[in-house]
Amino acid sequence: GWQRANWELRNTRTGEMLSGKINGKVTEKIKHGDFLQLSNKRIDDQVNIVILENDDEGERATDNTLGNNILDEIIIQPSSPIKVNECVLQSLQADITMQDTEVIVNAAKLELNGGGGGDGAIHRTAGPDLERASKILAPCHPGSAVLTPGFGLQAKWIIHTVGPQYQDGKQGECEVLASAYRSCLIIALKSGFTSITFPAISTGIYGYPKDAATEIAWDTIAQVLKENKDISLKLVRVASLNDETYDSLNKALGKWII
C-alpha cells in the first residue's frame, strides 16, 4: 500500500510531498477538502484520493484504488473549520439546487429569465413562479444583485446576480466579479440571513479563468465579513459540480487557513 517506502503522497493544495505513514504531526498539514495525489515511484500511474466528511473515527478517504491494487484506508484527524469573523467558510462539490442554506445565489443573466447551467437548474427546480417574480426585477446589471423567494427550492430565498463575461482581464472584469459577490453579501447581511451558498460566479460559459475567479470570490467574501463585525451569517459556502473548479476553490480557500 501507500505506506510502504515506494509510495509518495502529494497534497495538491500545498504542493507538499508526504511520505511514510500519515500520522502524528503530519495530519496537521492536511485539511478537510484537500486532494491527496498518490504516486507510485516505479510506474507512471497515479490516483486521486479525496478527503470526505469526518465521522466519529476521523476523516476518511475514498477512491483509494490503483489498478488492481487496493490501498490502505487513509484516516486523518478532523480539521478545524476556516472562519472569518466567526463565520465558517466552506468550498463544496455539490449541486447548488440541493443546498439547504437559508439562501442560495443564482449566477443569472441580465434578463433574469433562466438559461443554461446552474441558472437553468435553479429555475427548473424552483418552478415557474420564479420566472414571474424575477421578471419584475429585471434587468439586473453585471455586479448588482436582487432577491426573490426560493419557491420550490430547499433554500427559502434566492439572490440573483450577474457576473462579468471574461474577455481579456483588462475590461474591469475583476471589479465586476468582486461587486457581484459583495452585492449578494450586502443583501444577505441586511436580510439577517444565517447561511448562504454561492456558485463559482462566471467560471462557466462566461469563461472567467477558474483560479483567478475563485481567488476573487474568497478574497471578497472574507473582506466583507471582516468589514462587518456584528453579523448574522454563520456559514458561507461556494459550491461547484465541476472537478477543476472545485479544486480551484479549495486552493483559493487554503490561503485563509490560520
Side-chain angles (χ1 to χ4, degrees):
W2 60 271
Q3 293 182 343
R4 298 174 189 162
N6 59 307
W7 296 98
E8 285 185 340
L9 200 61
R10 183 170 69 88
N11 186 331
T12 60
R13 175 176 58 84
T14 64
E16 184 175 7
M17 296 299 301
L18 308 173
S19 57
K21 295 182 177 181
I22 296 185
N23 57 20
K25 294 182 179 180
V26 177
T27 61
E28 298 174 3
K29 301 177 182 179
I30 303 171
K31 299 293 183 181
H32 173 66
D34 277 350
F35 281 80
L36 304 180
Q37 188 175 74
L38 182 68
S39 301
N40 185 331
K41 295 181 182 179
R42 297 172 298 180
I43 56 177
D44 294 331
D45 291 340
Q46 293 180 333
V47 64
N48 284 330
I49 298 173
V50 183
I51 302 304
L52 299 177
E53 295 288 348
N54 64 299
D55 57 22
D56 293 339
E57 299 179 13
E59 293 182 347
R60 296 178 177 272
T62 188
D63 294 337
N64 51 346
T65 58
L66 178 64
N68 294 323
N69 297 321
I70 298 178
L71 307 177
D72 296 332
E73 183 177 52
I74 296 175
I75 300 178
I76 65 172
Q77 297 300 318
S79 58
S80 300
I82 300 171
K83 290 184 177 181
V84 173
N85 195 12
E86 295 306 309
C87 180
V88 175
L89 308 184
Q90 290 181 345
S91 56
L92 198 66
Q93 189 165 25
D95 183 344
I96 196 168
T97 66
M98 303 298 292
Q99 293 305 297
D100 59 359
T101 46
E102 193 169 0
V103 59
I104 66 168
V105 173
N106 178 27
K109 299 188 301 181
L110 183 144
E111 300 83 3
L112 299 180
N113 59 354
D119 185 14
I122 287 172
H123 272 262
R124 288 191 297 273
T125 305
D129 286 339
L130 176 57
E131 184 172 354
R132 288 191 283 269
S134 299
K135 282 182 177 179
I136 300 172
L137 302 172
C140 180
H141 296 286
S144 60
V146 296
L147 178 68
T148 69
F151 298 106
L153 291 167
Q154 291 190 55
K156 294 180 180 179
W157 299 95
I158 307 168
I159 299 175
H160 307 262
T161 190
V162 180
Q165 295 194 34
Y166 189 84
Q167 298 180 53
D168 56 8
K170 301 176 182 179
Q171 311 304 317
E173 296 97 326
C174 174
E175 291 79 7
V176 174
L177 183 58
S179 178
Y181 281 98
R182 180 176 289 274
S183 297
C184 293
L185 286 169
I186 289 172
I187 290 176
L189 293 173
K190 288 183 175 179
S191 301
F193 294 140
T194 58
S195 58
I196 184 171
T197 302
F198 286 89
I201 300 169
S202 286
T203 58
I205 60 174
Y206 281 12
Y208 211 113
K210 293 175 175 55
D211 285 349
T214 54
E215 282 196 18
I216 293 168
W218 285 125
D219 286 353
T220 305
I221 290 167
Q223 183 179 0
V224 173
L225 293 175
K226 285 183 175 181
E227 291 171 354
N228 296 272
K229 299 302 181 183
D230 297 320
I231 59 173
S232 57
L233 276 175
K234 301 303 178 186
L235 173 63
V236 176
R237 291 173 173 164
V238 184
S240 175
L241 281 171
N242 180 279
D243 290 343
E244 184 181 354
T245 306
Y246 176 61
D247 193 22
S248 293
L249 284 168
N250 278 330
K251 288 190 293 184
L253 182 58
K255 68 182 290 185
W256 292 100
I257 297 175
I258 299 174

